[in-house]
């Protein structure tokens, strides 16, 4: 099995105003994006090419939007990348870049 291209743990995943998990996982591996609960159960997944990732306009730097299978999810990642060896989710900007790179859009 190939190494995941992007993994983030400790991610708050929400749908509309409802929080689905406060310590979820986001993973991009083998051309698929997976949103998982803290227990590893799948919330949603789709081929990366079908996922839209963006930055919400009036939100903190730690937020990203992911549209998966027509459902919009709010992801609260880190505001900054954690220091090497420190726990914590990577920055939201890294997630958006990883989706674009895995889908072949952008650099």
């Amino acid at each position: 099995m190939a190494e995941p291209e992007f993994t983030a743990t400790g991610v708050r995943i929400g749908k509309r105003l409802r929080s689905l998990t406060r310590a979820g996982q986001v993973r991009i591996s083998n051309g698929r994006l997976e949103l998982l609960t803290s227990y590893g159960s799948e919330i949603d997944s789709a081929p990366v090419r079908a996922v839209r990732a963006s930055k919400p306009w009036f939100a903190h730097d730690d937020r990203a939007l992911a549209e998966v299978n027509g459902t919009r999810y709010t992801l609260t990642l880190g505001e900054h990348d954690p220091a090497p060896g420190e726990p914590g989710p990577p920055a939201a900007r890294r997630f958006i870049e990883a989706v674009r790179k895995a889908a072949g859009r952008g650099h």
Side-chain angles (χ1 to χ4, degrees):
M1 189 155 119
E3 216 24 59
E5 293 130 48
F6 179 86
T7 303
T9 57
V11 178
R12 172 173 265 160
I13 301 172
K15 186 162 97 174
R16 298 189 187 248
L17 296 175
R18 189 171 143 234
S19 177
L20 301 175
T21 182
R22 292 187 301 174
Q25 299 176 46
V26 176
R27 187 174 22 198
I28 299 174
S29 181
N30 299 325
R32 286 191 72 78
L33 171 80
E34 297 176 302
L35 302 178
L36 307 168
T37 67
S38 54
Y39 300 108
S41 300
E42 184 176 291
I43 295 171
D44 209 344
S45 71
V48 173
R49 289 189 179 275
V51 173
R52 287 185 18 198
S54 62
K55 180 94 184 72
W57 278 24
F58 298 104
H60 295 284
D61 286 341
D62 62 349
R63 299 264 169 91
L65 292 176
E67 191 172 310
V68 182
N69 297 320
T71 304
R72 209 179 223 163
Y73 295 95
T74 306
L75 309 176
T76 305
L77 295 110
E79 219 170 300
H80 307 286
D81 287 330
E86 292 293 314
R93 172 185 43 74
R94 272 217 11 236
F95 164 72
I96 295 167
E97 290 169 2
V99 169
R100 290 183 179 151
K101 183 178 175 188
R105 301 183 298 251
H107 346 44

